[in-house]
Amino acid sequence: MRILAITNQKGGVGKTTSAVNLSAALAHLKQRVLLIDLDPQGNATTGCGIVKSDALPTVYQLLLGDTTLANAIQKTEFGFDILPANRELAGAEIELIELDGREQKLKEALATVVDRYDYVLIDCPPALNMLTVNALVASKSVMIPMQCEYYALEGLSDLVETLRKVRENLNPELEIEGLLRTMYNAQSTLTQQVSDELTSHFGNKVYSTIIPRNVRLAEAPSHGKPAMAYDASSKGAQAYGALAEELLGRHGKSTAKK
């Protein structure tokens, strides 16, 4: 089971879009996938067609020890499972502080389903808080979605420093799985310059797959569907399909479709 945190403390870079659509694309390639919504906004939950107010128990109850992971997991109609979230999760930040081993809660829970899944994708909140730390401690690696713009590089250096500290103090196995260029505008000179800079600094850590700006990707969440289920022929859906194949290729796995 590979546990992958999808994180960037900068908001609006496509973390949730990537988490939901990559989950659907991996499921399409016969992978057993669990998506964990670790953002109190619960956008990954609604993006999978689940009503947040009906989603009980959630990751909130799990982190506080009030339910088991097996009891909180829900199936989606898109071939993967989800651990949902809602606004209750915002309170976990304060309540976790009082608990022993608070950074390890998600890791301990995931140890109970190690044989059930090939991939666990964690949609992290756009902040470095106790929820994100739980994700980083539980994960083997990190996927960093980012737009190719000037401020993204500044934020990336901060994130790399954060990962270094987590690796030194809490999770020595944590590594950068890859950098994902999202909302890509090929017509922009600045976009191309930042993209080139990323490649020169991080080499093969930058996925060759690029996620373009795409109307269908933006529309799909309002229908409670991944883009693959909303419009499989769209450039956005096809890009996440290609990303799933690239990810499996990096891990030496088959890319046979369902």
PDB file of all heavy atoms in Angstrom, residues 1 23 32-36 69 73-74 80-83 110 113 117-122:
ATOM      1  N   MET A   1       0.848  -1.195   0.000  1.00  0.00           N
ATOM      2  CA  MET A   1       0.000   0.000   0.000  1.00  0.00           C
ATOM      3  C   MET A   1       0.881   1.241   0.000  1.00  0.00           C
ATOM      4  O   MET A   1       1.688   1.431   0.893  1.00  0.00           O
ATOM      5  CB  MET A   1      -0.905  -0.012   1.252  1.00  0.00           C
ATOM      6  CG  MET A   1      -1.903   1.124   1.299  1.00  0.00           C
ATOM      7  SD  MET A   1      -3.103   0.964   2.651  1.00  0.00           S
ATOM      8  CE  MET A   1      -2.129   1.505   4.063  1.00  0.00           C
ATOM      9  N   SER A  23      -7.580   9.623  -8.112  1.00  0.00           N
ATOM     10  CA  SER A  23      -8.220   8.455  -7.493  1.00  0.00           C
ATOM     11  C   SER A  23      -9.071   7.712  -8.523  1.00  0.00           C
ATOM     12  O   SER A  23      -9.007   6.477  -8.645  1.00  0.00           O
ATOM     13  CB  SER A  23      -9.098   8.880  -6.310  1.00  0.00           C
ATOM     14  OG  SER A  23      -8.318   9.406  -5.258  1.00  0.00           O
ATOM     15  N   ARG A  32      -6.771  -0.567  -6.271  1.00  0.00           N
ATOM     16  CA  ARG A  32      -7.676  -0.411  -5.117  1.00  0.00           C
ATOM     17  C   ARG A  32      -7.265   0.883  -4.406  1.00  0.00           C
ATOM     18  O   ARG A  32      -6.146   0.981  -3.899  1.00  0.00           O
ATOM     19  CB  ARG A  32      -7.558  -1.604  -4.179  1.00  0.00           C
ATOM     20  CG  ARG A  32      -7.913  -2.943  -4.829  1.00  0.00           C
ATOM     21  CD  ARG A  32      -7.529  -4.109  -3.931  1.00  0.00           C
ATOM     22  NE  ARG A  32      -6.088  -4.106  -3.682  1.00  0.00           N
ATOM     23  CZ  ARG A  32      -5.495  -4.827  -2.712  1.00  0.00           C
ATOM     24  NH1 ARG A  32      -6.229  -5.577  -1.897  1.00  0.00           N
ATOM     25  NH2 ARG A  32      -4.188  -4.778  -2.550  1.00  0.00           N
ATOM     26  N   VAL A  33      -8.161   1.847  -4.400  1.00  0.00           N
ATOM     27  CA  VAL A  33      -7.800   3.201  -3.975  1.00  0.00           C
ATOM     28  C   VAL A  33      -8.689   3.668  -2.821  1.00  0.00           C
ATOM     29  O   VAL A  33      -9.907   3.496  -2.845  1.00  0.00           O
ATOM     30  CB  VAL A  33      -7.925   4.203  -5.147  1.00  0.00           C
ATOM     31  CG1 VAL A  33      -7.546   5.622  -4.701  1.00  0.00           C
ATOM     32  CG2 VAL A  33      -7.049   3.767  -6.322  1.00  0.00           C
ATOM     33  N   LEU A  34      -8.043   4.283  -1.828  1.00  0.00           N
ATOM     34  CA  LEU A  34      -8.746   4.998  -0.765  1.00  0.00           C
ATOM     35  C   LEU A  34      -8.341   6.462  -0.836  1.00  0.00           C
ATOM     36  O   LEU A  34      -7.153   6.792  -0.802  1.00  0.00           O
ATOM     37  CB  LEU A  34      -8.380   4.438   0.613  1.00  0.00           C
ATOM     38  CG  LEU A  34      -8.898   5.230   1.824  1.00  0.00           C
ATOM     39  CD1 LEU A  34     -10.423   5.247   1.856  1.00  0.00           C
ATOM     40  CD2 LEU A  34      -8.328   4.673   3.126  1.00  0.00           C
ATOM     41  N   LEU A  35      -9.325   7.340  -0.951  1.00  0.00           N
ATOM     42  CA  LEU A  35      -9.090   8.785  -0.924  1.00  0.00           C
ATOM     43  C   LEU A  35      -9.470   9.306   0.457  1.00  0.00           C
ATOM     44  O   LEU A  35     -10.570   9.042   0.942  1.00  0.00           O
ATOM     45  CB  LEU A  35      -9.939   9.477  -2.002  1.00  0.00           C
ATOM     46  CG  LEU A  35      -9.989  11.007  -1.968  1.00  0.00           C
ATOM     47  CD1 LEU A  35      -8.600  11.614  -2.120  1.00  0.00           C
ATOM     48  CD2 LEU A  35     -10.932  11.526  -3.056  1.00  0.00           C
ATOM     49  N   ILE A  36      -8.558  10.011   1.095  1.00  0.00           N
ATOM     50  CA  ILE A  36      -8.832  10.588   2.413  1.00  0.00           C
ATOM     51  C   ILE A  36      -8.975  12.091   2.269  1.00  0.00           C
ATOM     52  O   ILE A  36      -8.051  12.782   1.811  1.00  0.00           O
ATOM     53  CB  ILE A  36      -7.701  10.263   3.411  1.00  0.00           C
ATOM     54  CG1 ILE A  36      -7.610   8.752   3.629  1.00  0.00           C
ATOM     55  CG2 ILE A  36      -7.933  10.976   4.743  1.00  0.00           C
ATOM     56  CD1 ILE A  36      -6.489   8.328   4.561  1.00  0.00           C
ATOM     57  N   LEU A  69     -11.422   3.094  11.215  1.00  0.00           N
ATOM     58  CA  LEU A  69     -11.312   3.448   9.802  1.00  0.00           C
ATOM     59  C   LEU A  69     -12.293   2.631   8.960  1.00  0.00           C
ATOM     60  O   LEU A  69     -12.969   3.174   8.080  1.00  0.00           O
ATOM     61  CB  LEU A  69      -9.873   3.214   9.321  1.00  0.00           C
ATOM     62  CG  LEU A  69      -9.567   3.575   7.865  1.00  0.00           C
ATOM     63  CD1 LEU A  69      -9.935   5.012   7.566  1.00  0.00           C
ATOM     64  CD2 LEU A  69      -8.098   3.327   7.549  1.00  0.00           C
ATOM     65  N   ILE A  73     -15.108   4.520   6.353  1.00  0.00           N
ATOM     66  CA  ILE A  73     -14.915   4.495   4.897  1.00  0.00           C
ATOM     67  C   ILE A  73     -16.247   4.347   4.165  1.00  0.00           C
ATOM     68  O   ILE A  73     -17.104   3.575   4.571  1.00  0.00           O
ATOM     69  CB  ILE A  73     -13.972   3.333   4.505  1.00  0.00           C
ATOM     70  CG1 ILE A  73     -12.534   3.661   4.932  1.00  0.00           C
ATOM     71  CG2 ILE A  73     -14.030   3.046   3.012  1.00  0.00           C
ATOM     72  CD1 ILE A  73     -11.575   2.502   4.777  1.00  0.00           C
ATOM     73  N   GLN A  74     -16.410   5.108   3.093  1.00  0.00           N
ATOM     74  CA  GLN A  74     -17.589   4.983   2.233  1.00  0.00           C
ATOM     75  C   GLN A  74     -17.153   4.646   0.807  1.00  0.00           C
ATOM     76  O   GLN A  74     -16.092   5.073   0.356  1.00  0.00           O
ATOM     77  CB  GLN A  74     -18.391   6.286   2.215  1.00  0.00           C
ATOM     78  CG  GLN A  74     -18.993   6.653   3.561  1.00  0.00           C
ATOM     79  CD  GLN A  74     -20.035   7.754   3.432  1.00  0.00           C
ATOM     80  OE1 GLN A  74     -20.696   7.893   2.420  1.00  0.00           O
ATOM     81  NE2 GLN A  74     -20.180   8.532   4.486  1.00  0.00           N
ATOM     82  N   PHE A  80     -13.639   3.762  -6.323  1.00  0.00           N
ATOM     83  CA  PHE A  80     -12.706   3.908  -5.208  1.00  0.00           C
ATOM     84  C   PHE A  80     -13.476   4.260  -3.934  1.00  0.00           C
ATOM     85  O   PHE A  80     -14.640   4.644  -3.987  1.00  0.00           O
ATOM     86  CB  PHE A  80     -11.647   4.977  -5.504  1.00  0.00           C
ATOM     87  CG  PHE A  80     -12.187   6.360  -5.761  1.00  0.00           C
ATOM     88  CD1 PHE A  80     -12.350   7.274  -4.733  1.00  0.00           C
ATOM     89  CD2 PHE A  80     -12.534   6.766  -7.056  1.00  0.00           C
ATOM     90  CE1 PHE A  80     -12.854   8.545  -4.963  1.00  0.00           C
ATOM     91  CE2 PHE A  80     -13.034   8.044  -7.300  1.00  0.00           C
ATOM     92  CZ  PHE A  80     -13.191   8.928  -6.254  1.00  0.00           C
ATOM     93  N   ASP A  81     -12.801   4.104  -2.797  1.00  0.00           N
ATOM     94  CA  ASP A  81     -13.405   4.418  -1.502  1.00  0.00           C
ATOM     95  C   ASP A  81     -12.949   5.791  -1.028  1.00  0.00           C
ATOM     96  O   ASP A  81     -11.917   6.308  -1.485  1.00  0.00           O
ATOM     97  CB  ASP A  81     -13.004   3.376  -0.450  1.00  0.00           C
ATOM     98  CG  ASP A  81     -13.587   2.000  -0.741  1.00  0.00           C
ATOM     99  OD1 ASP A  81     -14.475   1.904  -1.603  1.00  0.00           O
ATOM    100  OD2 ASP A  81     -13.139   1.019  -0.107  1.00  0.00           O
ATOM    101  N   ILE A  82     -13.715   6.362  -0.096  1.00  0.00           N
ATOM    102  CA  ILE A  82     -13.355   7.665   0.447  1.00  0.00           C
ATOM    103  C   ILE A  82     -13.572   7.691   1.950  1.00  0.00           C
ATOM    104  O   ILE A  82     -14.512   7.079   2.468  1.00  0.00           O
ATOM    105  CB  ILE A  82     -14.157   8.804  -0.230  1.00  0.00           C
ATOM    106  CG1 ILE A  82     -13.668  10.173   0.264  1.00  0.00           C
ATOM    107  CG2 ILE A  82     -15.658   8.637  -0.008  1.00  0.00           C
ATOM    108  CD1 ILE A  82     -14.188  11.352  -0.533  1.00  0.00           C
ATOM    109  N   LEU A  83     -12.674   8.361   2.640  1.00  0.00           N
ATOM    110  CA  LEU A  83     -12.859   8.704   4.046  1.00  0.00           C
ATOM    111  C   LEU A  83     -13.278  10.169   4.041  1.00  0.00           C
ATOM    112  O   LEU A  83     -12.464  11.050   3.776  1.00  0.00           O
ATOM    113  CB  LEU A  83     -11.553   8.512   4.822  1.00  0.00           C
ATOM    114  CG  LEU A  83     -11.559   8.886   6.304  1.00  0.00           C
ATOM    115  CD1 LEU A  83     -12.606   8.116   7.077  1.00  0.00           C
ATOM    116  CD2 LEU A  83     -10.173   8.638   6.912  1.00  0.00           C
ATOM    117  N   LEU A 110      -4.378   3.859   9.477  1.00  0.00           N
ATOM    118  CA  LEU A 110      -4.137   3.254   8.169  1.00  0.00           C
ATOM    119  C   LEU A 110      -3.462   1.886   8.277  1.00  0.00           C
ATOM    120  O   LEU A 110      -3.589   1.054   7.373  1.00  0.00           O
ATOM    121  CB  LEU A 110      -3.289   4.188   7.305  1.00  0.00           C
ATOM    122  CG  LEU A 110      -4.027   5.403   6.750  1.00  0.00           C
ATOM    123  CD1 LEU A 110      -3.073   6.384   6.094  1.00  0.00           C
ATOM    124  CD2 LEU A 110      -5.096   4.956   5.750  1.00  0.00           C
ATOM    125  N   VAL A 113      -5.697  -1.187   7.557  1.00  0.00           N
ATOM    126  CA  VAL A 113      -6.234  -1.532   6.228  1.00  0.00           C
ATOM    127  C   VAL A 113      -5.120  -1.754   5.204  1.00  0.00           C
ATOM    128  O   VAL A 113      -5.334  -1.622   4.003  1.00  0.00           O
ATOM    129  CB  VAL A 113      -7.204  -0.444   5.704  1.00  0.00           C
ATOM    130  CG1 VAL A 113      -8.447  -0.369   6.574  1.00  0.00           C
ATOM    131  CG2 VAL A 113      -6.519   0.917   5.614  1.00  0.00           C
ATOM    132  N   TYR A 117      -5.807  -1.916   0.184  1.00  0.00           N
ATOM    133  CA  TYR A 117      -5.632  -0.901  -0.857  1.00  0.00           C
ATOM    134  C   TYR A 117      -4.240  -0.949  -1.474  1.00  0.00           C
ATOM    135  O   TYR A 117      -3.254  -1.314  -0.828  1.00  0.00           O
ATOM    136  CB  TYR A 117      -5.885   0.499  -0.282  1.00  0.00           C
ATOM    137  CG  TYR A 117      -7.285   0.685   0.223  1.00  0.00           C
ATOM    138  CD1 TYR A 117      -7.567   0.647   1.588  1.00  0.00           C
ATOM    139  CD2 TYR A 117      -8.351   0.864  -0.660  1.00  0.00           C
ATOM    140  CE1 TYR A 117      -8.866   0.791   2.064  1.00  0.00           C
ATOM    141  CE2 TYR A 117      -9.646   1.008  -0.205  1.00  0.00           C
ATOM    142  CZ  TYR A 117      -9.903   0.970   1.156  1.00  0.00           C
ATOM    143  OH  TYR A 117     -11.187   1.105   1.617  1.00  0.00           O
ATOM    144  N   ASP A 118      -4.182  -0.554  -2.751  1.00  0.00           N
ATOM    145  CA  ASP A 118      -2.898  -0.358  -3.427  1.00  0.00           C
ATOM    146  C   ASP A 118      -2.397   1.068  -3.214  1.00  0.00           C
ATOM    147  O   ASP A 118      -1.198   1.300  -3.065  1.00  0.00           O
ATOM    148  CB  ASP A 118      -3.049  -0.626  -4.925  1.00  0.00           C
ATOM    149  CG  ASP A 118      -3.534  -2.035  -5.208  1.00  0.00           C
ATOM    150  OD1 ASP A 118      -2.883  -2.987  -4.730  1.00  0.00           O
ATOM    151  OD2 ASP A 118      -4.573  -2.187  -5.884  1.00  0.00           O
ATOM    152  N   TYR A 119      -3.350   2.026  -3.214  1.00  0.00           N
ATOM    153  CA  TYR A 119      -2.993   3.437  -3.048  1.00  0.00           C
ATOM    154  C   TYR A 119      -3.925   4.108  -2.055  1.00  0.00           C
ATOM    155  O   TYR A 119      -5.142   3.890  -2.086  1.00  0.00           O
ATOM    156  CB  TYR A 119      -3.077   4.196  -4.386  1.00  0.00           C
ATOM    157  CG  TYR A 119      -1.915   3.938  -5.304  1.00  0.00           C
ATOM    158  CD1 TYR A 119      -1.959   2.921  -6.259  1.00  0.00           C
ATOM    159  CD2 TYR A 119      -0.746   4.707  -5.210  1.00  0.00           C
ATOM    160  CE1 TYR A 119      -0.880   2.675  -7.089  1.00  0.00           C
ATOM    161  CE2 TYR A 119       0.335   4.457  -6.044  1.00  0.00           C
ATOM    162  CZ  TYR A 119       0.263   3.439  -6.972  1.00  0.00           C
ATOM    163  OH  TYR A 119       1.337   3.196  -7.780  1.00  0.00           O
ATOM    164  N   VAL A 120      -3.344   4.919  -1.194  1.00  0.00           N
ATOM    165  CA  VAL A 120      -4.104   5.830  -0.342  1.00  0.00           C
ATOM    166  C   VAL A 120      -3.663   7.237  -0.706  1.00  0.00           C
ATOM    167  O   VAL A 120      -2.470   7.572  -0.603  1.00  0.00           O
ATOM    168  CB  VAL A 120      -3.855   5.571   1.156  1.00  0.00           C
ATOM    169  CG1 VAL A 120      -4.592   6.603   2.008  1.00  0.00           C
ATOM    170  CG2 VAL A 120      -4.287   4.162   1.541  1.00  0.00           C
ATOM    171  N   LEU A 121      -4.584   8.066  -1.178  1.00  0.00           N
ATOM    172  CA  LEU A 121      -4.290   9.459  -1.530  1.00  0.00           C
ATOM    173  C   LEU A 121      -4.914  10.361  -0.474  1.00  0.00           C
ATOM    174  O   LEU A 121      -6.088  10.211  -0.143  1.00  0.00           O
ATOM    175  CB  LEU A 121      -4.859   9.800  -2.909  1.00  0.00           C
ATOM    176  CG  LEU A 121      -4.430   8.914  -4.080  1.00  0.00           C
ATOM    177  CD1 LEU A 121      -5.013   9.449  -5.384  1.00  0.00           C
ATOM    178  CD2 LEU A 121      -2.917   8.820  -4.181  1.00  0.00           C
ATOM    179  N   ILE A 122      -4.130  11.283   0.063  1.00  0.00           N
ATOM    180  CA  ILE A 122      -4.606  12.170   1.116  1.00  0.00           C
ATOM    181  C   ILE A 122      -4.672  13.598   0.589  1.00  0.00           C
ATOM    182  O   ILE A 122      -3.649  14.181   0.218  1.00  0.00           O
ATOM    183  CB  ILE A 122      -3.684  12.120   2.353  1.00  0.00           C
ATOM    184  CG1 ILE A 122      -3.473  10.666   2.814  1.00  0.00           C
ATOM    185  CG2 ILE A 122      -4.278  12.954   3.490  1.00  0.00           C
ATOM    186  CD1 ILE A 122      -2.460  10.524   3.948  1.00  0.00           C
TER     187      ILE A 122
END
